[in-house]
Amino acid sequence: MKNLKRISFLAMLMAFVISCATMKSNSNNAVTGKVDSIESGKDGYTAKISTDAKEVYFATISIVNLGGPQNYKQLKIGDVVSLKGEIWKTDDEKHIRVTEIVSIK
């Protein structure tokens, strides 16, 4: 009985560790695409980016995440941009917390 409790606890602990590890997001990944829309927020804005691979990302762009006002740029609808940052996914959406605006065309 004591061994069964230990094995059960170990199995639950392993499941928890694995689930936490899969929830980690990717850092310093790049997204390149066209700006479809922009929604203003409190500290910045969210841009909807469509890639050539028909993927849609919601890019959160703020002065704080970019490291200061010298790195902050306002994107416009129609711009083709390359962004770096932390990517994560929800059930039906992909997001990127932008840490660097690489290029705007």
Side-chain angles (χ1 to χ4, degrees):
M1 186 67 161
K2 199 173 189 180
N3 285 338
L4 182 60
K5 285 183 182 180
R6 286 183 183 172
I7 292 172
S8 297
F9 175 75
L10 246 153
M12 287 177 31
L13 182 62
M14 287 176 53
F16 177 74
V17 168
I18 291 170
S19 69
C20 288
T22 58
M23 288 176 50
K24 282 188 177 180
S25 55
N26 300 324
S27 295
N28 297 322
N29 288 314
V31 171
T32 301
K34 183 179 174 186
V35 178
D36 291 333
S37 66
I38 295 174
E39 187 175 319
S40 296
K42 180 181 166 191
D43 297 324
Y45 59 95
T46 300
K48 182 179 175 184
I49 310 292
S50 295
T51 68
D52 289 341
K54 306 287 188 234
E55 295 178 311
V56 175
Y57 286 86
F58 292 93
T60 303
I61 301 170
S62 70
I63 294 171
V64 174
N65 290 339
L66 288 168
Q70 68 276 12
N71 301 323
Y72 183 81
K73 296 175 185 143
Q74 181 66 45
L75 302 180
K76 295 180 216 120
I77 294 173
D79 284 345
V80 176
V81 297
S82 182
L83 310 168
K84 284 187 178 180
E86 182 181 343
I87 294 175
W88 77 95
K89 299 174 186 176
T90 62
D91 290 336
D92 55 348
E93 293 179 341
K94 296 178 183 177
H95 297 264
I96 180 170
R97 182 180 58 86
V98 178
T99 57
E100 180 183 353
I101 299 174
V102 178
S103 68
I104 304 172
K105 297 177 188 173

